[in-house]
Amino acid sequence: MFDRKLFRSKVVAAGLTLEYVSREIGINPSTLDRKMSGISDFTRAEMQKLRKILDLSAEEFDGIFFAEELT
């Protein structure tokens, strides 16, 4: 499950905006919002671009894109 809160914090920490990030990975900001909300999924290519843009470690990457849902 995607960790929206952690993702947003990494975007802010990098001094970027969600609009900028969406354009950098080649999607519309509204598409990014749908992906962040879980309505649609990120592609592998998008995830790798985000990892590079946000300079995410392997642990950070896994924490954002493969977060376990607490039940």
Side-chain angles (χ1 to χ4, degrees):
M1 173 168 272
F2 182 78
D3 188 330
R4 183 182 182 120
K5 189 174 183 179
L6 181 56
F7 176 74
R8 288 182 62 87
S9 72
K10 294 296 180 184
V11 171
V12 170
L16 305 174
T17 65
L18 292 175
E19 183 174 347
Y20 173 82
V21 169
S22 67
R23 301 272 184 228
E24 285 296 301
I25 64 171
I27 61 174
N28 189 287
S30 62
T31 302
L32 177 61
D33 187 60
R34 284 193 302 276
K35 290 175 185 262
M36 290 173 57
S37 298
I39 296 170
S40 59
D41 295 323
F42 287 94
T43 66
R44 286 185 188 177
E46 291 165 344
M47 293 180 352
Q48 290 303 319
K49 288 178 186 177
L50 287 169
R51 182 176 185 182
K52 185 171 181 154
I53 292 166
L54 299 176
D55 193 29
L56 300 173
S57 68
E59 293 79 20
E60 291 169 326
F61 179 80
D62 288 346
I64 291 171
F65 291 101
F66 304 106
E68 292 187 32
E69 185 175 350
L70 299 175
T71 55

